[in-house]
Amino acid sequence: MRVNKGNGLAIVLIVLGSIMLLGKFTPFFGHFVGHLIGYLIPIAMIMLGYYGVKRGNALFGWIVLVLGVLILLGKLSWLIGPLLAIGLIIFGISMLSDRRRRY
């Protein structure tokens, strides 16, 4: 099989279609595929938006990129909230420990 420059997108589409079909025919695997596709679509939007900005179509590229980032932030909110809380706790502890060293 010869690998050309344009074959990468074809392979990605074949794999994505296979995963979607596998999710439809297997009920247990379908739940996992639904979550996976839910994360892949915003990531694909970010990549397409970045590609659009790089190729010169700035308005369309920025719109798609910002929408993809917002959707991905919404999907990852279950992770961002606790990480922000842990960061605030660590920052507060470090501020308290810095005061003790100054004396």
Side-chain angles (χ1 to χ4, degrees):
M1 181 171 120
R2 237 176 61 189
V3 180
N4 292 336
K5 186 177 180 181
N7 286 352
L9 179 62
I11 292 172
V12 168
L13 291 175
I14 290 169
V15 169
L16 188 63
S18 301
I19 290 173
M20 290 171 70
L21 275 179
L22 187 59
K24 291 290 183 192
F25 293 125
T26 310
F28 176 73
F29 193 67
H31 185 68
F32 173 73
V33 170
H35 284 290
L36 181 66
I37 296 298
Y39 289 109
L40 285 178
I41 289 176
I43 291 171
M45 288 177 70
I46 292 170
M47 291 171 36
L48 284 172
Y50 178 74
Y51 181 72
V53 169
K54 292 288 277 188
R55 295 290 284 175
N57 195 354
L59 179 65
F60 179 73
W62 278 112
I63 290 172
V64 172
L65 189 122
V66 168
L67 282 175
V69 167
L70 290 176
I71 293 169
L72 192 60
L73 282 175
K75 295 270 184 193
L76 293 176
S77 64
W78 64 270
L79 180 64
I80 294 171
L83 286 178
L84 180 63
I86 291 169
L88 289 173
I89 291 169
I90 291 172
F91 182 66
I93 291 171
S94 70
M95 286 178 63
L96 286 175
S97 64
D98 283 345
R99 287 188 182 172
R100 291 182 188 160
R101 287 187 225 159
R102 291 182 186 164
Y103 295 115

